[in-house]
Amino acid sequence: MIRELSSEETALFKEYIEKTAAVVAALGDRPAAYLHSYGCQQNVSDGEKLKGMLYEMGYDFTDSPSDADLIVLNTCAVRENAEDKVFGNIGAMKKLKESNKNLVIAVGGCMVQQEHIAEKLKSSYPYVDIIFGTHTLHELPRMLYDKLSGGKGCVNIPSVDGIVTESVPVLRDSKLKAYVPIMYGCNNFCTYCVVPYVRGRERSRRPEAVTREVKSLIAQGYKEILLLGQNVNSYGKEHGVNFAALLRALDAIAGEYKICFMTSHPKDCTKELIDVIADSRHIEHHIHLPVQSGSDRILKAMNRGYTAESYLELVKYARERMPDVSLTTDIIAGFPGELREDFDKTLQLVKTVRFDMAYTFIYSKRAGTAAAKLPDPVSSAEKSAWLRELLEIQGEIGLENNRGFIGKTFEVLCEGHDRHKPEYLTGRSRQNIIVRFSGGEELIGKFVSVKITGAMPWAVEGQTDV
Ligand code: SAH
Ligand code: SF4
């Protein structure tokens, strides 16, 4: 069942924020919290809610765990290496706990939602005070209050997953780009993927709530709105408003801004949706459309619900409607039972589509998923070799695509100084292409016209067109 917090629950949530704030104030003037979110944007967005609550409870933030009185790790479970990283970091925190008796450590998120991980945390890392799952974000104030007022700490991992709450405060990392979750969970059960098990069934926020939030963000000066969901294309089933209709309503909001979204599932990506993007004023001409494999046999084993041919048809339609559309994708190499001839089909598809960017992963076995039971005879060395081949091919395609932009003019949202070359500014075009260019501070936060003069494999560079 999907439900929003009742008014009593919302009142209780607020009461705990106030009660915790009183206890936190007694610890000193805004004690420091260290919060780290691993993994996808959905997790980063949850992290912004955790930050919002912590700020209201009187914490300030530090980038250094050793300066913190509270550490919150918001974990990811999508691949094994993400989990290894978290365990490594928690292990290193034992020393901090020994030197600061007041330190509270909380570990939450997708990884913890898995029973065997919660058990391992309890038995091997007893100095972790609070363990919380993905459906209990709004209970952080209560959990923290109990611990800070002398409690033993808690493990709070309910399996209920129907709650959508609009009441949680958000402290956003950027003043320019805002994450807006439009739905939670996933119903697709791709056979390799742990997400439906740790995030629960798909549930969408009400369209009025999304529209209200986006309007308010635009009024506050946000220039980029990133709509988030595991499969945004199936948004809104319970509200009778599909994703295309939601996008159309958001596009009608007055102002200077762009709307991006992820992730689109090819099986639910409709021509109607592509038409809405093509005809819009504010929606980025970019579709992140994870293909995962180019082999129909493997796509079937993955339970993806489309074929290479139907995927290519979608790509063709998107390019007919938007010749400038940028297409990016996710690819898994080495799914159980995948043969070299299957992987060759993936390479062929990559060469046919010519993606602007591909996020590539070696298959990682996830406990409890259907694929975890399948025989997986190909060695990891061989899978790594496949991945390298893919990266090389995609690298060349990316560079060639970017060279094709030389001479064109992009409208770029200037995000700030380039991380690697701070004398340059950086931003993304309406097609989500990364653009590096020279110009003054006053351009930051503005849409700027940039003429492209050079290309790199991952970005282009240019000059402001003044
Ligand atoms: N909901 C999105 C993506 C979720 S996870 C979608 O369906 O596209 C992001 C990416 O991680 C996936 O697209 C997939 O390529 C990769 N991924 C997920 N589970 C994985 C696993 N077990 N091993 C390797 N890669 C995985
Ligand atoms: Fe995982 Fe598939 Fe759902 Fe994406 S659509 S989150 S890959 S189960």
Side-chain angles (χ1 to χ4, degrees), residues 443-454:
L443 299 180
I444 297 174
K446 301 215 166 81
F447 286 96
V448 185
S449 223
V450 180
K451 185 155 187 197
I452 305 307
T453 54

Side-chain angles (χ1 to χ4, degrees), residues 79 192 230 263 290 292 304 330 332 361-364 366:
R79 281 171 294 275
Y192 51 81
Q230 293 300 345
T263 293
Q292 314 297 358
R304 288 291 287 178
D330 293 346
I332 296 178
F361 312 100
I362 291 185
Y363 168 74
S364 170
R366 305 285 63 212

Side-chain angles (χ1 to χ4, degrees), residues 12-37:
L12 194 64
F13 168 75
K14 289 190 176 144
E15 191 186 316
Y16 269 112
I17 291 229
E18 281 169 23
K19 278 164 72 171
T20 316
V23 185
V24 171
L27 296 174
D29 185 24
R30 285 210 169 262
Y34 169 84
L35 183 140
H36 187 75
S37 292

Side-chain angles (χ1 to χ4, degrees), residues 417-434:
H417 291 280
D418 188 271
R419 243 188 316 152
H420 307 289
K421 291 199 166 184
E423 65 277 24
Y424 288 94
L425 297 170
T426 185
R428 283 176 189 261
S429 74
R430 291 269 182 191
Q431 300 78 9
N432 202 38
I433 307 289
I434 301 173

Side-chain angles (χ1 to χ4, degrees), residues 27 36 53 59 104 109 115 119-120 140 156 170 177 231 237 246 287 297 317 319 331 333 337 373 387 390 392 455:
L27 296 174
H36 187 75
M53 289 186 272
Y59 285 97
V104 174
E115 217 173 302
E119 285 308 317
K120 181 169 168 183
L140 181 71
N156 186 0
V170 182
K177 299 161 82 159
N231 175 7
K237 295 215 166 76
L246 178 75
I287 311 178
R297 192 178 75 83
Y317 187 72
R319 289 200 166 132
I331 292 171
K373 299 183 197 82
L387 192 78
L390 169 60
E392 200 166 311

Side-chain angles (χ1 to χ4, degrees), residues 212-222 225 253-255 257:
R212 198 180 320 120
E213 182 174 354
V214 172
K215 266 189 188 155
S216 148
L217 289 165
I218 292 166
Q220 290 167 55
Y222 281 90
I225 309 292
I253 300 171
Y257 62 92

Side-chain angles (χ1 to χ4, degrees), residues 227 232-233 241-253 257 259-261 264 268-287 314 317-318 320-322 324-325:
L227 308 175
V232 288
N233 301 345
V241 173
N242 69 11
F243 185 53
L246 178 75
L247 277 184
R248 216 180 278 120
L250 297 178
D251 186 52
I253 300 171
Y257 62 92
I259 292 183
C260 328
F261 56 88
S264 278
D268 298 312
C269 184
T270 59
K271 290 189 170 172
E272 181 199 10
L273 175 65
I274 291 171
D275 289 342
V276 169
I277 303 170
D279 296 337
S280 75
R281 288 187 50 217
H282 300 284
I283 303 166
E284 208 178 55
H285 283 192
H286 166 226
I287 311 178
L314 264 182
Y317 187 72
E320 271 165 23
R321 290 296 334 263
M322 294 174 275
D324 67 339
V325 73

